[in-house]
Amino acid sequence: MPSSSNDKAPWQQAGSAAADARRGEDPVWTGLLPAVPPADPAPEPGTAAESGRDGAPAREGGSGPAEGTAGAAGSGRAPGGSRAVDAADVGEDEEPDAEARRRAALRRDALADEPRFPRLQQVFLVLLLPLALLAAAVRTVATPLFLWAEYHRPGFPADRYGFSTDERMVYGSYGLDYVLNWAPPEFLGGLVGPGGGRLFLGSEVAHMTDVKIVLQSALAAVAVLAVLGLVSSLYLRAKAPGAASGALFFGSWLTVVLLVLLAVAAVLGWEQFFALFHSLFFAEGSWTFRVSDTLIRLYPTQFWVDAAITVGALTLLGALAVMAATWPTAFRRHRALDRVRRRQELKRRLAGR
């Protein structure tokens, strides 16, 4: 007689329960690929699939004519080996078709959740993160607090031409304000020094105007890209679990690699690094001044070295923070999958399924 489920070994019962659980799962988006429900597992030995279509046990030996006739009549087979079609058989054939249609509908729902251009959005987030962290670090350094810390820190070179620390703080703040506000060139050109003459030369004011244009344009562009990146992150987070966090995680590593390369280049040749950086954004000869000019007296080489180190350190801290927040863990993956399953369940309920 066929064995019941209670007669199965413990490992066989666990396997059957797991197969039943898998058959009830819905396809969801995991990252960028939809998870399709697994096919039904193969029938186990000794089950009804092996024993016959009617569930009757198969005999080891051959059966006699009387037994064969009775078996044919009991199983709905006509003489000659042909099977008689009745309502029960039609119902059995329709059930797999209904199940197939249900699964096809679930697959269509999963594919409908596929985000548009997911790869491009991920690449965009990867490239955006270093720029956003760098821009935030530059804006943090371009503050009166950093200026005050530089002028008052031990070892900062004094002005050999007579500016005191207080005068440096006042005049340096004017230069910092000018590159961040919308004031005209007269904001710097009209300043008068301790001797009664103009504090900044025309060439110095022109260079600071170029710095204003480059800095404000870069910050504005990164701000717009950051808004687009936020929209892309929210969209990917809703449609493809783990896609946005994976891109940000990779972007944090890219930021660390770029910082290491820039640090090596700056250490090996600061003068060449500084000159190459200025040549990318400013015309040749517009950013070179004498040591007695006001810009050099207010912002000497040590100021820019310290500023570069601070920007690099702040960018590195930001990259490490993003890396820690997006580090792939099983808990975060399961939480994202649960969120998508709940959303799909809500959509099916609203659709009346």
Side-chain angles (χ1 to χ4, degrees), residues 171-186:
Y171 300 144
S173 298
Y174 272 104
L176 181 61
D177 292 340
Y178 178 67
V179 298
L180 295 175
N181 61 27
W182 297 92
E186 289 75 18

Side-chain angles (χ1 to χ4, degrees), residues 17-167:
D20 294 338
R22 284 195 302 269
R23 283 195 295 269
E25 289 182 354
D26 294 336
V28 296
W29 267 90
T30 55
L32 295 177
L33 296 177
V36 180
D40 292 339
E44 298 179 359
T47 58
E50 274 195 358
S51 59
R53 187 177 183 88
D54 307 77
R59 296 181 180 271
E60 296 182 359
S63 58
E67 294 175 350
T69 305
S75 62
R77 293 183 180 274
S82 62
R83 178 178 172 87
V85 179
D86 53 11
D89 295 333
V90 174
E92 290 179 359
D93 293 339
E94 286 181 352
E95 287 182 0
D97 293 340
E99 180 66 16
R101 287 195 298 269
R102 188 186 72 85
R103 293 190 178 185
L106 292 178
R107 291 190 182 96
R108 286 195 298 270
D109 289 344
L111 294 176
D113 283 338
E114 180 180 359
R116 272 47 171 185
F117 310 110
R119 292 292 185 185
L120 293 179
Q121 288 177 316
Q122 283 192 305
V123 172
F124 173 67
L125 291 177
V126 169
L127 299 179
L128 172 63
L129 184 62
L131 296 177
L133 294 176
L134 182 62
V138 169
R139 186 60 186 88
T140 303
V141 168
T143 56
L145 178 61
F146 178 78
L147 199 64
W148 182 92
E150 276 295 287
Y151 289 153
H152 290 84
R153 78 168 181 83
F156 192 79
D159 178 32
R160 69 178 71 177
Y161 295 98
F163 278 164
S164 64
T165 301
D166 293 338
E167 289 175 334

